[in-house]
Amino acid sequence: MSFSVLSPAARLRGFRPAWLSPKVFRTELLAGLVVGLALIPEAISFSVIVGVDPAIGLFTSFTMAVVISVIGGRPAMISAATGAVALVVAPLNRQHGFGYLIAAVVLGGVFQIVLGALGVAKLLRFVPRSVMVGFVNSLAVLVFMAQVPELHDVPWPVYPLVVGGIALMVLFPRVTRAVPAPLVSIVILTAITVAAGIAVPTVGDRGELPSSLPVPGLPDVPFTPDTLTTVAPYALAMALVGLMESLMTAKLVDDITDTRSSKTRESIGQGIANIVTGLFGGMGGCAVIGQTMINVRVSGARTRLSTFLAGAFLMVLCIVFGPVVSRIPMAALVAVMVMVSVAAFDWHSIAPRTLRRMPAGETLVMVVTVVCVVVTHNLAVGVVVGTVIAMVIFARRVARLADVTTVTDSGGDRIVYTVTGELFFASANDLVTRFGYATDPDRVVIDLSAAHIWDASSVAALDAITTKYEQRGKTVEIVGLNEPSSEIHKTLSGELTGSH
């Protein structure tokens, strides 16, 4: 028997983060820079939705990205200010003021930590694939729709700039992938507009960039029960919407990268990030799908470094290079987001060949998910509605599999009913109608060897059947129960109908 002893240097190499590799570091660095640029106009737009200074949205994206890069469960995912959270907290800011908004963000973070600790992330496994496809397609549609206003009532040079930016992102990867194509497109279009003096909308037109870092502090509200009852509904709504979008985005990144991530850690991490964001005067956020796709799918980032650098670059770009960043044409960022929407959309899901083979119910769920999200501009609404419809369709489909067949003994003094399939609320309701109570012989056997009892509705149905036979002086014997079915039947039989 021989033993090998690793040197301290070798052991250290085994624990070395992946991003220390020069190639990986370059990828993460450039990806962070691209995402940092892409975060600026959206953060300013979401600030407008909430009704706060543009610097608030930028601070939010900075703190969310930096904090979640350290404590989040999904590496390379970007968290920042988002439209869904902005829509939730905007009414609170308008009605009660900025201090109450900050209090709701901090309390929302506490709710997210509690929900994460309670295992709410495990509910994600109940989201069907058709809802996930609808989620992906709807976010692609929303990202594209968000760019349409940037192309309305603008100087004509905007249109060739957007087309040129898209062309650069399509063609440049054929030359080299060492530098992200979106970054190249942004730099070239900015250089062209500045050098030629082309007057087009720029990042600076969206709002003034901050000139200093945020300072932490407590919300400026009275710490009373009235304040709690005012902010709690908004905080809970923000927590649920933020977790829904973050966990769905994390699952999408898992699929893209063929890796697994801790959804519980991500839930708790989102809560901590929102608490920190609130204490720094931010308006709350969650995972942002568009910038995550830029980071993971377009730029090829895979580690926490890109997320951290996205937030760090955002602040550096605003504070140090504000005058330069302000001159970036919006057309360049519109081109980037259009490419993101095209890349994110699952085109295979709407191909004629796929639609012909896919069950109609699954296609319906996908379409309903997309429609709900596009109409409400809320990914969480679409996911919930799509999942509920998918469960209803599944229940109806499984309920049809339950069947009852009969065999009468040659002597005619006994009849055997064989029940097959899954017995639950949807199938058990029809079970009572499948028996001939008046015409059957005195001995009735119900064979459940090929069935499974799932809920109290099934036990209640069996009790109702037994009662109907007993009222006619006939005996019923239930046989063939498997162990789980026998346990639930033994526990609940006679306790539901009041017949015993």
Side-chain angles (χ1 to χ4, degrees):
M1 184 179 295
S2 62
F3 297 91
S4 61
V5 179
L6 292 176
S7 67
R11 287 198 299 270
L12 189 60
R13 282 195 299 271
F15 291 102
R16 188 175 68 174
W19 51 264
L20 283 179
S21 161
K23 182 178 179 180
V24 174
F25 182 81
R26 183 184 67 228
T27 300
E28 302 294 311
L29 179 72
L30 294 174
L33 179 57
V34 174
V35 173
L37 287 168
L39 283 171
I40 294 173
E42 288 205 356
I44 296 174
S45 298
F46 299 146
S47 299
V48 174
I49 292 174
V50 178
V52 296
D53 190 272
I56 301 299
L58 294 165
F59 288 154
T60 300
S61 295
F62 163 64
T63 53
M64 287 294 298
V66 169
V67 175
I68 206 69
S69 69
V70 179
I71 60 177
R74 175 63 259 178
M77 190 169 77
I78 305 297
S79 290
T82 59
V85 171
L87 290 171
V88 170
V89 299
L92 180 63
N93 182 61
R94 286 195 297 267
Q95 296 169 19
H96 299 279
F98 185 65
Y100 282 82
L101 183 151
I102 297 303
V105 171
V106 174
L107 183 58
V110 173
F111 282 150
Q112 288 180 327
I113 293 174
V114 172
L115 291 170
L118 292 176
V120 70
K122 295 177 182 177
L123 296 176
L124 195 65
R125 61 185 174 181
F126 294 105
V127 178
R129 179 187 177 278
S130 51
V131 175
M132 272 299 300
V133 173
F135 170 79
V136 171
N137 289 346
S138 60
L139 70 88
V141 172
L142 285 182
V143 169
F144 182 82
M145 288 175 59
Q147 312 315 310
V148 174
E150 304 295 340
L151 301 174
H152 177 68
D153 194 22
V154 293
W156 69 264
V158 168
Y159 303 107
L161 285 172
V162 171
V163 173
I166 293 173
L168 278 169
M169 284 181 281
V170 171
L171 299 175
F172 188 78
R174 300 181 182 181
V175 179
T176 178
R177 294 184 179 271
V179 181
L183 179 58
V184 174
S185 177
I186 291 171
V187 171
I188 291 178
L189 293 188
T190 303
I192 290 174
T193 55
V194 171
I198 302 174
V200 292
T202 64
V203 170
D205 296 332
R206 305 300 292 270
E208 186 177 350
L209 301 181
S211 58
S212 61
L213 289 171
V215 178
L218 293 175
D220 184 17
V221 295
F223 291 88
T224 63
D226 287 342
T227 300
L228 180 62
T229 55
T230 299
V231 303
Y234 294 95
L236 182 59
M238 176 199 137
L240 293 173
V241 168
L243 282 185
M244 177 76 75
E245 293 207 23
S246 298
L247 295 177
M248 293 290 287
T249 304
K251 188 174 187 303
L252 177 61
V253 177
D254 288 352
D255 294 339
I256 292 173
T257 60
D258 291 326
T259 57
R260 295 181 64 185
S261 61
S262 171
K263 305 304 183 295
T264 297
R265 178 177 172 180
E266 183 62 37
S267 301
I268 295 173
Q270 289 287 331
I272 296 173
N274 271 305
I275 291 174
V276 173
T277 296
L279 294 177
F280 274 91
M283 62 188 197
C286 62
V288 54
I289 189 67
Q291 279 70 19
T292 296
M293 289 299 99
I294 293 175
N295 197 46
V296 175
R297 177 166 279 174
V298 179
S299 302
R302 293 294 184 270
T303 77
R304 299 177 185 278
L305 181 63
S306 57
T307 306
F308 175 84
L309 290 177
F313 278 137
L314 171 63
M315 277 294 96
V316 171
L317 289 168
C318 291
I319 295 173
V320 180
F321 299 103
V324 176
V325 173
S326 296
R327 303 186 73 174
I328 295 175
M330 286 301 300
L333 298 176
V334 168
V336 171
M337 299 310 290
V338 167
M339 287 298 295
V340 168
S341 66
V342 171
F345 196 91
D346 186 352
W347 297 100
H348 176 73
S349 66
I350 61 171
R353 181 179 179 184
T354 303
L355 294 175
R356 284 195 299 268
R357 296 186 176 187
M358 189 69 65
E362 303 231 356
T363 301
L364 174 65
V365 169
M366 180 194 72
V367 172
V368 168
T369 302
V370 172
V371 171
C372 286
V373 171
V374 172
V375 169
T376 64
H377 283 238
N378 191 326
L379 292 165
V381 171
V383 171
V384 171
V385 172
T387 301
V388 170
I389 292 176
M391 289 181 175
V392 171
I393 292 173
F394 173 76
R396 287 174 57 86
R397 188 180 302 158
V398 174
R400 294 195 190 102
L401 299 178
D403 195 20
V404 179
T405 57
T406 61
V407 176
T408 305
D409 285 357
S410 56
D413 63 342
R414 189 182 80 148
I415 186 170
V416 178
Y417 285 89
T418 301
V419 182
T420 59
E422 309 301 320
L423 300 183
F424 64 111
F425 62 90
S427 58
N429 290 333
D430 294 331
L431 191 64
V432 181
T433 64
R434 305 293 294 275
F435 294 80
Y437 305 102
T439 58
D440 283 345
D442 292 340
R443 294 179 58 206
V444 178
V445 177
I446 302 177
D447 184 1
L448 297 175
S449 301
H452 187 97
I453 297 175
W454 287 103
D455 60 5
S457 297
S458 306
V459 177
L462 292 172
D463 281 356
I465 294 167
T466 302
T467 300
K468 288 178 180 292
Y469 276 116
E470 289 177 347
Q471 289 171 346
R472 292 168 173 78
K474 302 176 182 181
T475 60
V476 178
E477 182 184 6
I478 297 176
V479 300
L481 289 169
N482 58 35
E483 186 174 344
S485 299
S486 178
E487 187 65 30
I488 191 173
H489 185 265
K490 179 180 177 181
T491 302
L492 298 178
S493 181
E495 304 295 330
L496 303 169
T497 62
S499 59
H500 286 64

